[in-house]
Amino acid sequence: MASKGLQSFSRSAKTLRAFGSSKDPLTQCLAPRLSRSMATETSLLSRLSPEYDITSLPDAANTEAFSPPTVLTTIYKFPTMEPIRFESYSSKHLYLPLRRDILHRAVVFEGDGTRQGTANTKTRWEIHGSHRKIRPQKGTGQARLGTKQSPMLKGGAKVFGPRPRDFSTELPRKMYDLAWRTALSWRYRKGDLIICEDGMELEQAGTKYVKSIFKHNRWGKEDGRSLLITAGESENLYKALENAGEDGRVKMEHEVDVKDLLELGRIIIEKGALDRFLKDHQSDLMSKVRAAV
Amino acid sequence: MRRIPITSRSIGLLRPYTTPTPYLCAICRHQAPAFSTSSLRSSLDMTEQLRRKVWGTDNPPGLEDPYGGQSKFEKKKPQPTPQPTVAPRKMTAAPQLPADYVPSSTWDGLESVGDIWEPEYEFGGFLPAEMVTDTDEMTAALHRAMVEIFALKQAGLSLLDLPKAVLGVDPTHDVDIVPGVDGTQLRFNKDSSLAEVLQALIHDVSLSPVDETAEKGAPTEAEEDVAADRSELDPLHPDESSTTIDETAVKEWPTESEEDVAADRSEVDPLKDSEAYMPYEELIASWDPSWLQVSVEDPEIKFAILKRTLQLTGVRVPDSAIRSTRTAQSILSHLVTPPKPRKLIDALEQKEDLITLPNVSVFAKRVTPIHKEKSIGRWKLIEKELEARELPVTGNW
């Protein structure tokens, strides 16, 4: 009995050795097969054959396809949209995986922060008037009543009504910054982030002119509207888009938030404004400790 | 209590006169009294009436105006200025129209007054006005772009010297792009030449209306290059590689340059017209399929090809795909992939098996009772009847 068990053990040990160090089942199982973060869109699994081929393990080149250190963008000349050059950005800036949960928290955070919170009602102590007893306590045959500010009377107070308050909530700075870059990355991945040279401006201010530009570049209402983001004040552009709201919107960089980045069909942004966004929203990438001089 | 309308009171029958009244609206007819019980306001003034009553006659004695003349105030009143008499208009005969006069039925060519219509802006963007959607056309455009870029590279010209406008015939139909170990080569078949391709590009450059000052230098330089090219081609020596022509290409040069010269001298392209109408499938089939495997790793070449393709087709390869495109095939796959439909109706209409079902119809908007009435042609009648009854024409459109 015991010898039989020993036999089977030695056989299995032999099999193990036969696999050898090159194909050690343990390391094969535990080795990280794909070096990509969890939430990226996967296109690799469909390409993988059902029987797992050891040779198709991602090498350095394949890994780069999933998370390259930098990504390329095309810089355009504004109204004509002629490509001028490629520009590279860090993939931690423009190639982050989509995190809907973080985007949702950021949008809610912004929405809370923009609430005015000025609704106000009067309590029974604030309503003007005498606090005289309306009628005698007994003998009238009617209900007992105190002052006319009572909440149960018409013209009386509101119980637990809205009072002015601050609705704003809190969100960790790093998470909000990550949401910014996630929103930009989502646009970039979809091809909806169009980066233009600095100084986006039109030759003339005219609604029809800007509409013809939008139509030519396929940015208008039929194509889901567009958000233009400028770093400076482009007078003609702002004036022209004033009455072309159905085709798009233009905003200065300091007016933009995460919700705006997610809203319209595409983002057309000045390079300076994009760089500013990325510089202002990278607290999770920067180390807090400053180097001693 | 409901009030009896005045018109229907029996006393109304006593109305002494029946004048044909002018048109009265329903409300006025209803409210206007048929007769008045108040005494008729006589045209005489109060004094005259009193005088008649006092004297008891209609012709009371005494002066009508015992104080004589008009009162002071009456006298002070400004006299109405006499209206200038206007000579009555005379009838004149209409001017005789010429015999060949034809009234115009459209406003084309008529004199316009005022400036109501703003001119339509013709925005000259980099993208073409019409986007290319046909796969074969897209493939041909990519091929053209690649031939042009590699031709520019072979000639040592700047890859950014692309024309601002797409003009003229495409001389790249008969050129094959061959991937090689040392680099990509262009193989010019019998109806094409490097000079011809470059000339077309430079011709476009010099004709481009935009940005004259910026390009002033480029065409002359390019023309010099072409001239240099030609001077080299003419002697028919195989070892002309003063420009940046790869060594591997040298073998093919002599025969091509011979053809070039012949083509240059004849000045006529016998097959150009026939090729212009060649369907895209045949054109694509005529190329060596290995051109799709040509590497476009060089960022400069990649940028130039993508730029030229954008100019020819209007299709933008998304930035996120730029890095992963390594061959012409991968560029093409991004070009021909149609964008995701923005509306559900567009997505559904692409599903052939769903659309062709006999008992399924797809609508862009919610189908309301009005749509159903319209489909059987009853809605106009309903609308008319509603209006006749002064009922609101409402419903979900």
Side-chain angles (χ1 to χ4, degrees):
Chain A
M1 184 81 181
S3 65
K4 203 176 181 183
L6 193 69
Q7 231 173 7
S8 66
F9 172 74
S10 63
R11 205 184 300 142
S12 59
K14 211 183 282 175
T15 349
L16 198 65
R17 236 174 289 125
F19 268 107
S21 56
S22 62
K23 279 192 175 182
D24 188 1
L26 191 66
T27 51
Q28 193 180 339
C29 291
L30 293 182
R33 296 183 177 184
L34 307 171
S35 63
R36 66 179 186 87
S37 57
M38 272 179 66
T40 45
E41 291 174 5
T42 168
S43 59
L44 189 83
L45 288 180
S46 57
R47 274 199 282 127
L48 277 181
S49 49
E51 61 268 15
Y52 187 68
D53 185 11
I54 194 83
T55 56
S56 73
L57 267 178
D59 53 356
N62 281 355
T63 319
E64 198 184 303
F66 292 115
S67 60
T70 57
V71 288
L72 284 179
T73 56
T74 317
I75 310 292
Y76 295 89
K77 194 185 262 183
F78 171 57
T80 56
M81 298 317 286
E82 178 186 354
I84 295 173
R85 61 177 186 278
F86 282 156
E87 195 82 34
S88 75
Y89 278 89
S90 163
S91 60
K92 285 182 176 171
H93 284 159
L94 283 189
Y95 208 64
L96 290 176
L98 173 62
R99 289 283 306 270
R100 291 175 66 99
D101 52 340
I102 288 181
L103 292 179
H104 178 257
R105 288 192 65 171
V107 170
V108 169
F109 164 70
E110 284 168 355
D112 288 345
T114 45
R115 284 188 73 165
Q116 273 196 314
T118 51
N120 190 14
T121 51
K122 284 186 176 166
T123 68
R124 58 190 307 168
W125 317 118
E126 288 165 339
I127 290 181
H128 179 80
S130 161
H131 286 216
R132 173 181 63 91
K133 193 171 172 64
I134 295 175
R135 64 172 84 109
Q137 178 79 357
K138 295 174 78 69
T140 58
Q142 284 181 292
R144 300 174 288 186
L145 281 180
T147 60
K148 62 179 182 178
Q149 286 85 359
S150 165
M152 62 161 293
L153 296 178
K154 179 174 176 288
K158 175 89 180 165
V159 187
F160 303 131
R163 306 291 294 169
R165 65 185 171 116
D166 184 6
F167 283 90
S168 58
T169 50
E170 290 189 350
L171 190 71
R173 180 79 209 173
K174 290 183 177 181
M175 198 184 280
Y176 186 59
D177 287 354
L178 181 62
W180 262 88
R181 288 180 287 114
T182 305
L184 289 169
S185 301
W186 175 67
R187 287 296 192 182
Y188 174 80
R189 280 169 180 271
K190 279 181 59 176
D192 290 339
L193 185 73
I194 300 170
I195 306 169
C196 296
E197 268 198 324
D198 283 356
M200 274 165 48
E201 177 62 312
L202 300 179
E203 296 166 10
Q204 48 181 318
T207 305
K208 287 196 174 184
Y209 180 56
V210 82
K211 269 178 174 288
S212 74
I213 290 175
F214 269 54
K215 194 182 173 198
H216 190 93
N217 290 325
R218 291 155 205 119
W219 291 344
K221 191 182 175 189
E222 303 82 34
D223 302 285
R225 302 169 79 213
S226 306
L227 173 68
L228 275 68
I229 301 171
T230 62
E233 285 183 23
S234 309
E235 199 180 326
N236 288 346
L237 185 62
Y238 278 77
K239 208 168 181 184
L241 271 169
E242 221 167 52
N243 290 321
E246 66 271 22
D247 281 334
R249 195 186 290 166
V250 59
K251 286 199 168 193
M252 296 266 279
E253 60 173 359
H254 61 81
E255 297 170 327
V256 176
D257 57 14
V258 174
K259 180 199 67 196
D260 292 326
L261 293 179
L262 302 174
E263 229 171 13
L264 301 188
R266 66 196 58 68
I267 308 286
I268 298 142
I269 187 171
E270 266 181 33
K271 185 172 182 300
L274 179 65
D275 291 346
R276 182 73 179 275
F277 284 165
L278 294 174
K279 182 171 165 283
D280 290 353
H281 298 287
Q282 54 179 356
S283 65
D284 52 332
L285 301 178
M286 310 293 283
S287 129
K288 221 174 190 179
V289 182
R290 288 195 180 171
V293 180
Chain B
M1 200 180 87
R2 191 159 179 275
R3 193 164 167 259
I4 300 166
I6 298 168
T7 41
S8 58
R9 275 188 242 163
S10 53
I11 198 168
L13 299 173
L14 293 174
R15 204 156 59 161
Y17 49 86
T18 51
T19 50
T21 50
Y23 169 76
L24 279 177
C25 69
I27 299 167
C28 304
R29 200 160 48 214
H30 180 79
Q31 289 182 347
F35 68 97
S36 171
T37 47
S38 60
S39 61
L40 283 172
R41 186 75 52 86
S42 65
S43 58
L44 300 172
D45 62 348
M46 205 60 189
T47 324
E48 187 60 25
Q49 281 180 37
L50 264 176
R51 284 182 70 230
R52 290 187 184 184
K53 271 193 181 164
V54 167
W55 289 97
T57 60
D58 276 353
N59 297 314
L63 288 171
E64 283 185 359
D65 188 4
Y67 301 105
Q70 288 175 317
S71 68
K72 258 190 178 177
F73 300 108
E74 290 287 320
K75 278 177 189 166
K76 269 192 179 175
K77 267 187 191 171
Q79 296 292 324
T81 50
Q83 294 290 324
T85 52
V86 182
R89 289 176 62 185
K90 286 177 186 169
M91 298 289 281
T92 52
Q96 281 296 317
L97 292 169
D100 56 345
Y101 174 75
V102 181
S104 59
S105 54
T106 65
W107 63 16
D108 299 332
L110 291 183
E111 186 186 357
S112 66
V113 180
D115 190 17
I116 303 168
W117 304 103
E118 280 184 41
E120 287 290 320
Y121 287 102
E122 286 297 326
F123 173 67
F126 184 75
L127 275 69
E130 289 293 321
M131 208 159 114
V132 174
T133 48
D134 181 35
T135 310
D136 293 330
E137 205 177 337
M138 205 102 76
T139 315
L142 177 62
H143 184 268
R144 177 179 176 178
M146 288 179 67
V147 168
E148 284 170 348
I149 299 304
F150 282 117
L152 281 175
K153 193 171 179 243
Q154 276 197 6
L157 295 172
S158 162
L159 298 187
L160 298 177
D161 273 348
L162 287 171
K164 299 264 165 153
V166 183
L167 293 173
V169 244
D170 179 10
T172 65
H173 285 177
D174 210 15
V175 187
D176 273 333
I177 313 168
V178 189
V181 185
D182 303 336
T184 307
Q185 305 301 322
L186 294 181
R187 191 170 64 213
F188 295 95
N189 297 330
K190 59 177 193 275
D191 298 322
S192 59
S193 67
L194 177 63
E196 203 176 304
V197 173
L198 287 177
Q199 204 173 13
L201 274 178
I202 289 151
H203 180 65
D204 284 0
V205 169
S206 60
L207 273 185
S208 61
V210 195
D211 210 3
E212 290 290 334
T213 52
E215 282 166 10
K216 225 166 211 175
T220 52
E221 196 182 273
E223 274 162 16
E224 282 165 17
D225 275 343
V226 169
D229 258 359
R230 279 185 188 160
S231 64
E232 282 164 10
L233 290 175
D234 275 338
L236 310 183
H237 288 307
D239 51 352
E240 89 287 45
S241 52
S242 62
T243 54
T244 57
I245 294 168
D246 291 290
E247 292 296 330
T248 50
V250 167
K251 268 186 186 173
E252 296 169 2
W253 280 108
T255 54
E256 278 163 22
S257 51
E258 278 169 4
E259 285 160 13
D260 282 356
V261 171
D264 276 355
R265 282 180 191 157
S266 68
E267 293 289 329
V268 180
D269 292 341
L271 281 182
K272 196 176 253 181
D273 288 339
S274 62
E275 269 183 10
Y277 298 107
M278 189 192 259
Y280 284 113
E281 301 93 48
E282 287 179 31
L283 192 64
I284 291 163
S286 71
W287 294 325
D288 185 359
S290 64
W291 76 275
L292 286 171
Q293 307 308 321
V294 165
S295 162
V296 288
E297 295 261 14
D298 183 4
E300 198 188 356
I301 288 182
K302 193 189 278 187
F303 175 74
I305 289 175
L306 288 178
K307 182 177 176 179
R308 184 65 171 159
T309 318
L310 176 66
Q311 191 181 25
L312 292 173
T313 63
V315 181
R316 223 165 57 86
V317 174
D319 283 350
S320 52
I322 290 174
R323 186 176 282 275
S324 60
T325 50
R326 289 156 205 268
T327 58
Q329 174 80 62
S330 54
I331 292 182
L332 187 62
S333 68
H334 282 293
L335 286 178
V336 297
T337 312
K340 201 178 154 193
R342 287 196 178 268
K343 292 197 167 190
L344 178 65
I345 178 75
D346 300 334
L348 289 178
E349 275 173 352
Q350 287 170 8
K351 293 190 174 177
E352 274 299 315
D353 50 345
L354 185 67
I355 295 294
T356 48
L357 284 176
N359 58 346
V360 171
S361 43
V362 181
F363 296 94
K365 288 187 175 178
R366 188 171 70 92
V367 180
T368 65
I370 292 183
H371 289 119
K372 288 175 182 164
E373 299 288 2
K374 271 185 181 171
S375 66
I376 54 174
R378 206 159 55 186
W379 177 245
K380 277 186 186 172
L381 292 176
I382 294 174
E383 209 173 16
K384 200 183 276 178
E385 290 300 316
L386 283 172
E387 275 166 6
R389 287 165 171 74
E390 295 180 359
L391 290 169
V393 184
T394 52
N396 294 310
W397 294 83

